[in-house]
Amino acid sequence: MADEMEKIGTAIEASQKTVVSREKEIGEDAEQPTGPVGLDIGTSHIVMAQNRGKNIQTVKQLNAFFTIPRSQFTKKILEENSVSFFEKNEQFYILGYSAENFANMFNTNTRRTMERGLLSAREDESITVLQAIIDTLIKKARKNGEIICFSMPGEPRGGNQSVIYHESIIKMHLSSLGYKPIAINEGLAVVMSELANDNFTGIGISMGGGMCNVCLSYLSVPVITFSLQKGGDFIDSMVGVSVGEPATKIKTIKEKDLNLTGTPRNRVETALHIYYNDLIQSLIHNLQEVMQGSDRVPKISQPVPLVLSGGTVVPRGVREIFEKELRSVKMPLDISEVRMASDPLNTTAKGAMVMAISETM
Ligand SMILES: Nc1ncnc2c1ncn2[C@@H]1O[C@H](COP(=O)(O)OP(=O)(O)OP(=O)(O)O)[C@@H](O)[C@H]1O
Ligand SMILES: [Mg+2]
């Protein structure tokens, strides 16, 4: 019991630290972390979090790649410019943020190792490339058995995909680097990061690029978890199809200055409003359905908070739409408020690190 109390104290302390975040720079070496690590392996980004005294430091890499034909000359140029890449099947695989620069130059899209939250079945080399992208952030463990907590989606609703394969592949890779990998549900990571003052009780939601993840946690125990294989990418492609523009162009507009509180000013904004509403409605509908169908909803006397995180919650108005939609349905559990995570793009990595720290106690 004393141990448990100490663990909780450590988790609370860690979750209250300030996050200092940055993007991985091109040519910058991977780090060899000291102490426990949190790793958020997302469809769009991979984020590594480490404990650094008063702060939590996060480094982010783009989970994308781009291939170009192999040539001795190009190899030299890539090396001189410190571009991360590897060679396979007569091709150069360019990794992370570097890949984005290449794709822009060729006026096309980067390729992804993951799709809708899980390893992509459409890319032959998705495993090798994902491993290589992870390796741009993190080197072999300094100490064998160092703990890494990495985020895992909940089982997808309404699909035939499972997270087992994805989880095993990542575990194998992290073990081969000398770490002791522990999977943490992405929704629970949100709870660990944001709900310390609520006894780690409430609903954590991450709305990312490939999916939305939900966890109802009671005293840090995941009671209900699930994922929806729809997220920011879904919005981009559906809006794109509706207005006849490429999804990447929509993504740029969406990330630049979307305000969901105002009246849409044009066709693209109208479509963005429509698909944001659609995504939030399906998320709430699924939450209601899963909770109603479960005999595990705890009898909590007090209403619990709900926290929103992930890149897709960033535009103004997401919280308000969520709250309005939530009020229009009857939930088996009373929700006290809808809160925004303090740093939505780093919440999962931070929560995974909080978990990693408490696992070392
Ligand atoms: N300012 C912004 N406005 C709107 N959307 C944004 C903004 N910034 C990022 N996004 C969207 O957030 C998504 C990426 O979020 P995030 O990094 O949390 O996802 P992920 O963790 O990589 O993916 P997942 O958890 O779904 O596997 C993308 O769809 C991106 O377009
Ligand atoms: Mg995510």
Side-chain angles (χ1 to χ4, degrees):
M1 195 62 199
D3 277 3
E4 285 305 308
M5 292 304 288
E6 211 172 319
K7 260 191 180 182
I8 293 167
T10 313
I12 292 174
E13 202 181 301
S15 74
Q16 276 159 355
K17 292 185 179 191
T18 316
V19 176
V20 180
S21 62
R22 63 190 183 86
E23 286 182 358
K24 192 83 196 165
E25 277 174 39
I26 290 169
E28 185 191 338
D29 249 2
E31 288 175 60
Q32 189 172 46
T34 41
V37 182
L39 198 62
D40 170 13
I41 303 175
T43 312
S44 316
H45 300 107
I46 302 183
V47 189
M48 173 173 75
Q50 292 179 80
N51 199 11
R52 285 278 180 270
K54 279 198 301 229
N55 300 325
I56 291 173
Q57 219 176 66
T58 70
V59 189
K60 183 187 298 172
Q61 177 64 286
L62 197 67
N63 191 358
F65 68 104
F66 194 75
T67 54
I68 52 171
R70 200 193 87 90
S71 91
Q72 217 37 49
F73 180 75
T74 312
K75 184 174 185 174
K76 218 167 153 257
I77 305 256
L78 293 180
E79 280 168 354
E80 273 169 12
N81 286 281
S82 313
V83 172
S84 306
F85 72 100
F86 67 85
E87 229 178 290
K88 196 169 179 181
N89 307 330
E90 293 296 304
Q91 295 204 296
F92 291 139
Y93 287 75
I94 297 171
L95 309 170
Y97 286 109
S98 301
E100 200 169 50
N101 294 344
F102 272 89
N104 287 339
M105 219 119 75
F106 285 90
N107 203 14
T108 172
N109 297 326
T110 52
R111 288 157 67 181
R112 302 269 196 92
T113 67
M114 283 167 57
E115 195 178 17
R116 307 205 301 155
L118 299 169
L119 264 164
S120 170
R122 284 196 302 172
E123 293 284 1
D124 290 342
E125 300 296 340
S126 59
I127 296 176
T128 321
V129 183
L130 177 61
Q131 290 171 343
I133 295 175
I134 292 175
D135 293 353
T136 66
L137 287 174
I138 189 167
K139 280 189 187 155
K140 259 190 185 317
R142 198 182 296 264
K143 194 173 90 217
N144 212 28
E146 190 88 83
I147 289 182
I148 280 196
C149 275
F150 66 100
S151 62
M152 250 312 110
E155 287 295 335
R157 289 271 293 161
N160 53 4
Q161 276 189 290
S162 157
V163 302
I164 295 174
Y165 175 71
H166 181 82
E167 177 172 343
S168 307
I169 298 280
I170 290 165
K171 265 202 173 140
M172 277 193 275
H173 183 60
L174 296 174
S175 304
S176 78
L177 293 174
Y179 296 92
K180 180 183 171 197
I182 301 171
I184 173 172
N185 173 271
E186 179 154 10
L188 182 63
V190 177
V191 171
M192 295 308 292
S193 166
E194 304 298 308
L195 293 182
N197 294 332
D198 305 85
N199 289 322
F200 302 104
T201 298
I203 299 174
I205 296 184
S206 172
M207 300 177 69
M211 49 165 52
C212 292
N213 266 282
V214 182
C215 171
L216 166 64
S217 158
Y218 181 63
L219 302 175
S220 85
V221 178
V223 182
I224 289 175
T225 59
F226 71 90
S227 69
L228 202 65
Q229 287 188 292
K230 271 180 172 184
D233 294 342
F234 164 82
I235 293 177
D236 303 342
S237 68
M238 294 311 286
V239 171
V241 168
S242 311
V243 301
E245 295 280 3
T248 33
K249 188 169 168 190
I250 304 296
K251 184 169 183 277
T252 310
I253 298 172
K254 178 189 77 176
E255 291 181 4
K256 196 161 163 267
D257 59 358
L258 179 63
N259 178 356
L260 295 164
T261 57
T263 319
R265 294 171 298 184
N266 50 46
R267 224 156 51 100
V268 172
E269 283 188 7
T270 305
L272 279 166
H273 281 233
I274 290 171
Y275 279 103
Y276 250 100
N277 270 297
D278 175 71
L279 179 63
I280 292 170
Q281 277 166 9
S282 22
L283 190 52
I284 291 173
H285 171 77
N286 274 276
L287 177 61
Q288 184 195 32
E289 214 171 67
V290 173
M291 287 214 286
Q292 270 168 356
S294 168
D295 47 17
R296 302 186 63 191
V297 178
K299 302 268 173 296
I300 307 172
S301 53
Q302 275 175 339
V304 299
L306 182 152
V307 191
L308 297 175
S309 74
T312 295
V313 309
V314 173
R316 268 183 66 193
V318 171
R319 198 192 69 78
E320 287 75 10
I321 297 175
F322 202 100
E323 204 164 45
K324 182 168 154 265
E325 291 297 333
L326 196 61
R327 262 193 255 115
S328 71
V329 296
K330 177 96 190 81
M331 283 286 173
L333 189 71
D334 285 334
I335 291 160
S336 57
E337 60 173 328
V338 178
R339 262 187 234 166
M340 288 297 255
S342 52
D343 185 358
L345 287 155
N346 294 298
T347 313
T348 304
K350 178 182 168 190
M353 203 217 61
V354 169
M355 190 61 125
I357 290 183
S358 65
E359 288 293 333
T360 50
M361 292 297 293

